[in-house]
Amino acid sequence: MMDPPQKPGTNLFQVYLRLRPTPASSANAERFLMVEEPEEDEAPSQVTLNPPNDRRRAIEQFAFTRVFEEDATQLDLFQGTRVLPLLEGVLAPHGGEGTDGLLATLGTTGSGKTHTMLGSRSQRGLTQLSLDVIFRSLESNILDCSKNTNLEASIQASDPSEATFFSAPSFLETVYNDFGSSSTRSRAGTPMTVRESPNKDFIRASLQQMCPQLPGMFPDSPNGMRLVRHEDDLSHITTLDTPPRNIPGGSAKGHHTMPYAKSGKPKLAYASPKKHYMSLTTAAESKKNVTNTPVKADFPPPSTPRPKLQQPTTFPQIPSIDSIRASCDPSAEYAILISMYEVYNDRIFDLLTPPIKSNVTKEYRRRPLLFKSTENSPDRKVVAGLRKVICGSLTEALMVLEAGLHERRVAGTGSNSVSSRSHGFFCVEVKKRRSGRSDRTWGGSTLSIVDLAGSERARDAKTSGATLAEAGKINESLMYLGQCLQMQSDMGTTSKTNLVPFRQCKLTELLFSNSFPSPSFTQSSSIHRRNPQKAVMVVTADPIADFNATSQILRYSALARTVTVPRVPSITQTIPPRTSSSTLSYPTLPYPQSSPRSGSPISSPTMQHHKPFFHQPSLPARLFSPQLDNEQRGTMENAAMEIARMAEMIDQLNSELGRETDARIAAEAHLLSMEDRFQDLEQEIREECYTDFERRLSLEMNRWKASLSHELERGEEHWDRKVEVLARGVGALGVSDDEENQGEEDKENVLVENLEQENERLRRELSVLKRELGSRTPSRRAPLQERGDAMVTVKSEMAGLGSRMEALRVTSSGSARSILSDDTNNSIANSDAGSIRGRKPRTATNGSPTKKVRKLQAKKWEPIADDDI
Ligand SMILES: Nc1ncnc2c1ncn2[C@@H]1O[C@H](COP(=O)(O)OP(=O)(O)OP(=O)(O)O)[C@@H](O)[C@H]1O
């Protein structure tokens, strides 16, 4: 037997192994995992892995903090994994902020992770049990939003994670139908919808096998699960804008739903009527040949608007933990905040925030969140922008949990009919402050309960397309997690604590980063230092399922490992039997055989070590046969050694090949999902640009409208002013009224008379001149011509006068009138002076134009005939 794990106290994780019970239907299956008999009065902590069907492969032994066998109950797990100290660390009974706790499960797909963490229809899991203990222990110290109106605001003020806060009743109202009304439905009434796998025949067959007695919603699907059919998906593509409210829980399209499936888990697939967004991308299209299975139309979209759920009112009560309580700080008051998120394809999505409709694609999608240090949280990273629900009671917390689980991604695969396709995080934040000091800010710690997606082999899971890509991502993140776990178990023997490569993916960042203070934080002494988180990992394994996958998970997670190379069959076994006269005898060495609880059956050389796992070739057993001479014996031994060496090499190469193949599949899937992600990002950027453009456009429109209305206003004002001026003019006119009109008319009459007189005079003068001209002899006409300048002046004067008179007729402007009046006066004056000179018309400079217009309008000037002039 190997030594117990070294320095378990120095590991970041306490690692426990739980074995899944073998279903009755598989009772005859070959078992490859055996539990080693423990020392007296001790719980088992070691298992042996015997490779099935290949006796040349190495036998491995793994050590854990403790092994829970198939008959272990949920309560055994709760008590045996020391969850209670984890909870007490979070509650901080001795004051202070406490210690963050992490409770996680790791295992191959279908090995019982979700069962362990979330329980089933009839049994509670570690999550429900932990919640029960927390609420039971805090009892009267818990503050509730219904009784403390400013609780939400005070928590919000001290929260560093840019979260949105809801009181449980207001959140649950948005999630459940008739929230608050009494109902007799039990938790078992939660419906379940399962995304149909590409390998639908396989899934259907297994579902039918699971529930043969139950009628299906389709003729060939079992009751209780809504299989989302391909045709179903396509038929809804055009109705995305108004997705059916009753999917997945209701009776959309006349389909029935049943409370629970095999596991009774309240998981729901995204039973949206539209295909998975990844399946719609060209990357997925172009990569169809990765698995030679169709990619398109495999899946509905990842997120749809949350339909209201049926309100569960009863929850499983078994196992009971009424007697268990954790210590808490009696001088403090507490508030419990629940948040849930999942890591899907290396991105974080809130499970309590409903998806929002994209402006561009019109699809409902959830926005990925960031895991970062914030201004108020320099010492540790937080998932920023989550929705957090303040729960005052266990029932509220359980209802929030149910609501979040409905959003989590699951799918039917060949390995598990309800397989988690994301790593689910359920966070219980225990906020704490001194009692009676409402001015104090809240501190506290968080218990994170993590249900990891299971590692799976594409061949066994029979996945393809997007599910294969998901599996690639899942396996990749689990591989990084494995590396971190290996490193952390090595940390027991090394001082290089910063070697754990936890920044490689979101999952390991989330799990590990708060176990290590950041370098900048360690250097800065001014920042308050938090305790590194404490973590418990429950590894689940199915002793009859996939040997390779289980072996890999155990290698990742075990605290110690021993490799035993079996003895190679003796060379003599390969030599044909000699004749009866032969005196040679060939001893045969037994293969290691083991049975459950058989103790260590291995007597061959072993190598006990921590990681890395690659084992060194060991020397084979020496063969001895007295009948062979030394030379023959030497040759035989050399051959045996060579065979042993080659067998080991083949073993190594085989396992290397297996690993490389897995890595290749993971890499291909990774590439596929990265391409999808890029396209996704592009889509998001386009969307953002679109939104930004729309925003700017509407801003510009608003500006333009504002300036238009401003201009209109100005124009109106301008006209108002004009009208006002006009009105004032009219008013002024109205004041002087008749006398002024009379005076004006008199003046005009005088003017006209003057003009007429002038006209008359000029006519006379003209006729005199004509007569004089006519009476003269041609020779005497010269003197008159000598007066030509005077005549020209008179003529031009006459012409000017005529044109001005003409102007007076055609224009009604005051200026014309003014010209007339000025010129007339001038001509009169000039005529009086006896000298007629040419003159340029002048514009009027005084008097109101309006006034003159009005005056002139009253006067009609008749045209002057040329003859008259
Ligand atoms: N300890 C157990 N006792 C009874 N049933 C169990 C136990 N562990 C697992 N099961 C059953 O095995 C099935 C698969 O378990 P579960 O869904 O928990 O696996 P999983 O590891 O979460 O798988 P995945 O990683 O694919 O989500 C379920 O029907 C569950 O009820």
Side-chain angles (χ1 to χ4, degrees):
M1 180 168 294
M2 80 179 131
D3 296 335
Q6 288 180 357
K7 301 184 188 175
T10 58
N11 288 330
L12 296 173
F13 281 85
Q14 295 294 303
V15 188
Y16 299 87
L17 177 68
R18 182 185 199 182
L19 302 183
R20 183 193 149 169
T22 305
S25 57
S26 314
N28 298 327
E30 192 181 356
R31 184 189 171 97
F32 57 80
L33 194 154
M34 315 294 165
V35 180
E36 295 296 319
E37 200 71 56
E39 301 278 321
E40 255 180 48
D41 299 335
E42 276 188 17
S45 63
Q46 293 181 24
V47 292
T48 302
L49 228 55
N50 289 306
N53 310 323
D54 187 356
R55 298 191 181 281
R56 286 172 312 165
R57 289 185 66 169
I59 294 165
E60 296 164 294
Q61 277 187 306
F62 299 96
F64 294 89
T65 310
R66 180 175 168 183
V67 176
F68 293 90
E69 294 181 71
E70 289 90 327
D71 54 356
T73 63
Q74 302 285 77
L75 188 58
D76 292 338
L77 255 286
F78 184 79
Q79 291 177 322
T81 51
R82 299 179 51 76
V83 177
L84 207 55
L86 212 62
L87 298 183
E88 282 182 348
V90 174
L91 298 182
H94 308 299
E97 292 208 12
T99 306
D100 289 332
L102 175 67
L103 179 57
T105 47
L106 172 68
T108 58
T109 180
S111 58
K113 296 182 296 297
T114 310
H115 178 84
T116 302
M117 282 298 166
L118 297 164
S120 64
R121 175 170 46 175
S122 56
Q123 291 208 26
R124 303 197 280 184
L126 295 185
T127 308
Q128 291 90 342
L129 295 176
S130 303
L131 279 174
D132 194 351
V133 171
I134 289 175
F135 279 98
R136 206 180 284 276
S137 308
L138 296 181
E139 257 183 349
S140 54
N141 291 19
I142 291 187
L143 295 187
D144 190 351
C145 283
S146 58
K147 293 174 200 138
N148 298 271
T149 43
N150 66 343
L151 180 64
E152 207 174 309
S154 69
I155 289 178
Q156 176 126 34
S158 63
D159 185 79
S161 65
E162 300 158 15
T164 318
F165 290 87
F166 277 79
S167 68
S170 59
F171 171 77
L172 294 172
E173 247 169 38
T174 65
V175 175
Y176 292 106
N177 275 324
D178 308 325
F179 174 71
S181 67
S182 63
S183 162
T184 52
R185 285 176 65 92
S186 74
R187 177 173 183 256
T190 311
M192 173 189 253
T193 305
V194 178
R195 187 173 63 192
E196 193 173 36
S197 159
N199 198 328
K200 54 189 174 193
D201 296 337
F202 175 86
I203 296 298
R204 285 217 187 101
S206 51
L207 292 177
Q208 290 287 16
Q209 203 181 353
M210 278 169 11
C211 332
Q213 75 286 13
L214 298 168
M217 65 190 74
F218 301 125
D220 51 355
S221 71
N223 198 353
M225 290 187 193
R226 180 174 184 274
L227 283 180
V228 182
R229 280 183 156 176
H230 182 169
E231 310 87 80
D232 228 19
D233 296 349
L234 297 177
S235 66
H236 285 77
I237 283 175
T238 53
T239 62
L240 253 186
D241 279 356
T242 52
R245 299 281 298 165
N246 45 358
I247 291 176
S251 56
K253 293 196 132 204
H255 303 320
H256 310 282
T257 53
M258 181 187 88
Y260 270 76
K262 182 180 88 170
S263 67
K265 284 188 289 187
K267 285 178 176 179
L268 278 186
Y270 25 94
S272 154
K274 200 163 182 288
K275 293 181 288 179
H276 190 292
Y277 73 100
M278 279 181 72
S279 69
L280 298 174
T281 61
T282 48
E285 274 283 80
S286 63
K287 293 286 176 180
K288 272 190 211 173
N289 54 358
V290 169
T291 55
N292 295 325
T293 46
V295 171
K296 274 188 78 169
D298 283 345
F299 313 111
S303 45
T304 55
R306 187 206 298 265
K308 282 210 169 185
L309 308 172
Q310 284 304 309
Q311 179 189 338
T313 52
T314 56
F315 295 93
Q317 301 296 321
I318 300 170
S320 163
I321 46 164
D322 290 356
S323 56
I324 302 177
R325 273 188 168 68
S327 321
C328 67
D329 187 349
S331 64
E333 48 194 20
Y334 291 86
I336 307 292
L337 274 61
I338 305 283
S339 57
M340 288 179 79
Y341 54 88
E342 64 179 348
V343 177
Y344 177 76
N345 277 345
D346 210 32
R347 284 186 292 168
I348 303 169
F349 295 97
D350 192 355
L351 290 173
L352 301 182
T353 302
I356 42 174
K357 192 174 177 181
S358 154
N359 280 334
V360 178
T361 60
K362 308 295 176 207
E363 275 183 13
Y364 286 84
R365 305 175 64 165
R366 280 182 280 156
R367 288 215 173 279
L369 303 176
L370 293 178
F371 182 57
K372 59 177 188 179
S373 298
T374 62
E375 204 177 314
N376 297 326
S377 165
D379 56 335
R380 60 174 175 171
K381 286 187 171 181
V382 290
V383 178
L386 281 173
R387 188 177 272 206
K388 294 183 178 176
V389 184
I390 304 168
C391 296
S393 70
L394 174 64
T395 311
E396 284 178 353
L398 293 177
M399 286 174 87
V400 175
L401 169 67
E402 291 272 341
L405 290 175
H406 274 268
E407 287 290 331
R408 192 171 168 204
R409 292 162 219 250
V410 295
T413 70
S415 306
N416 187 359
S417 58
V418 195
S419 180
S420 310
R421 310 313 292 168
S422 65
H423 307 300
F425 283 70
F426 176 78
C427 302
V428 187
E429 240 172 284
V430 179
K431 295 276 184 190
K432 189 182 167 200
R433 71 179 178 192
R434 284 269 138 260
S435 301
R437 297 276 303 275
S438 57
D439 56 320
R440 274 184 63 103
T441 54
W442 292 89
S445 300
T446 303
L447 172 71
S448 305
I449 299 175
V450 188
D451 178 24
L452 293 173
S455 66
E456 67 189 25
R457 298 189 154 228
R459 195 189 50 206
D460 302 331
K462 299 181 174 62
T463 49
S464 67
T467 312
L468 179 68
E470 284 169 0
K473 264 298 179 208
I474 292 169
N475 288 347
E476 188 191 3
S477 57
L478 291 176
M479 188 181 75
Y480 291 136
L481 173 60
Q483 287 176 3
C484 292
L485 289 172
Q486 284 178 30
M487 293 301 296
Q488 70 101 23
S489 70
D490 286 347
M491 274 169 48
T493 53
T494 172
S495 58
K496 293 180 183 171
T497 55
N498 57 348
L499 283 182
V500 178
F502 63 85
R503 290 190 186 84
Q504 298 186 86
C505 70
K506 273 289 167 299
L507 174 67
T508 48
E509 254 197 287
L510 285 163
L511 292 178
F512 286 87
S513 59
N514 291 330
S515 298
F516 306 105
S518 73
S520 56
F521 167 63
T522 17
Q523 281 155 21
S524 161
S525 56
S526 61
I527 304 173
H528 163 66
R529 193 188 178 108
R530 287 187 65 88
N531 299 328
Q533 77 180 2
K534 291 255 183 296
V536 165
M537 173 79 80
V538 180
V539 179
T540 54
D542 184 348
I544 58 163
D546 184 345
F547 169 81
N548 289 316
T550 308
S551 156
Q552 198 172 34
I553 286 289
L554 297 189
R555 283 180 207 181
Y556 285 159
S557 55
L559 298 172
R561 172 174 173 256
T562 305
V563 179
T564 305
V565 180
R567 288 177 187 271
V568 177
S570 163
I571 182 88
T572 55
Q573 289 180 315
T574 63
I575 297 173
R578 301 276 173 116
T579 57
S580 56
S581 62
S582 169
T583 52
L584 293 176
S585 71
Y586 306 102
T588 46
L589 300 172
Y591 288 117
Q593 296 293 331
S594 56
S595 58
R597 293 300 190 93
S598 61
S600 179
I602 307 155
S603 55
S604 57
T606 62
M607 282 168 289
Q608 182 172 323
H609 56 92
H610 296 277
K611 290 88 185 185
F613 302 120
F614 301 111
H615 48 270
Q616 305 295 323
S618 65
L619 288 178
R622 289 190 138 249
L623 300 172
F624 176 74
S625 173
Q627 280 81 8
L628 295 175
D629 60 22
N630 282 345
E631 193 185 337
Q632 279 177 319
R633 200 162 54 228
T635 312
M636 297 275 279
E637 282 184 359
N638 281 342
M641 282 173 70
E642 189 63 15
I643 289 170
R645 195 180 61 77
M646 291 185 70
E648 281 184 22
M649 267 180 65
I650 290 168
D651 263 359
Q652 279 190 20
L653 288 173
N654 269 337
S655 61
E656 195 94 2
L657 182 68
R659 268 196 299 277
E660 290 300 323
T661 310
D662 282 350
R664 182 181 58 76
I665 292 174
E668 282 171 354
H670 178 58
L671 180 70
L672 184 64
S673 76
M674 283 313 283
E675 283 182 23
D676 277 322
R677 189 164 162 198
F678 279 132
Q679 288 176 2
D680 216 23
L681 271 176
E682 185 187 330
Q683 188 67 35
E684 266 172 31
I685 291 168
R686 278 177 192 282
E687 214 167 285
E688 266 170 31
C689 290
Y690 174 84
T691 318
D692 192 44
F693 179 74
E694 284 232 313
R695 190 180 53 77
R696 285 176 189 217
L697 192 68
S698 73
L699 215 69
E700 281 303 315
M701 277 294 280
N702 288 344
R703 260 216 308 261
W704 181 80
K705 277 181 190 163
S707 75
L708 181 70
S709 71
H710 181 65
E711 283 303 315
L712 284 175
E713 262 174 33
R714 275 185 51 185
E716 270 174 22
E717 247 175 55
H718 182 69
W719 279 107
D720 282 352
R721 273 207 301 275
K722 276 194 163 186
V723 169
E724 211 176 289
V725 168
L726 189 66
R728 264 210 303 274
V730 171
L733 274 176
V735 171
S736 55
D737 219 8
D738 291 344
E739 312 106 55
E740 196 170 320
N741 275 349
Q742 191 58 49
E744 288 292 323
E745 271 178 25
D746 290 348
K747 276 186 201 165
E748 282 169 9
N749 289 339
V750 170
L751 195 66
V752 170
E753 270 174 29
N754 286 344
L755 280 171
E756 280 171 358
Q757 282 171 10
E758 169 76 359
N759 213 6
E760 192 53 37
R761 192 185 60 75
L762 288 170
R763 272 202 199 104
R764 276 199 309 275
E765 198 171 324
L766 188 63
S767 63
V768 170
L769 286 171
K770 275 181 181 173
R771 268 199 309 276
E772 193 179 321
L773 191 63
S775 64
R776 288 200 179 168
T777 59
S779 57
R780 294 191 61 187
R781 278 179 197 167
L784 187 62
Q785 278 172 2
E786 284 165 14
R787 296 176 59 193
D789 56 336
M791 281 305 291
V792 168
T793 310
V794 169
K795 274 191 176 173
S796 68
E797 192 72 22
M798 291 299 287
L801 186 64
S803 68
R804 279 195 293 270
M805 294 289 278
E806 185 66 23
L808 273 174
R809 274 200 301 276
V810 296
T811 180
S812 58
S813 80
S815 62
R817 188 184 171 282
S818 170
I819 291 166
L820 178 61
S821 105
D822 277 4
D823 286 353
T824 310
N825 289 339
N826 284 334
S827 0
I828 291 166
N830 289 341
S831 126
D832 288 344
S835 74
I836 301 166
R837 286 185 298 277
R839 202 180 266 251
K840 277 191 179 173
R842 284 192 292 119
T843 50
T845 52
N846 55 355
S848 161
T850 326
K851 208 168 162 184
K852 286 176 183 171
V853 167
R854 285 178 60 81
K855 286 171 191 165
L856 283 174
Q857 275 169 350
K859 232 28 187 176
K860 288 268 189 238
W861 291 88
E862 294 305 322
I864 302 168
D866 279 347
D867 297 349
D868 294 344
I869 296 176

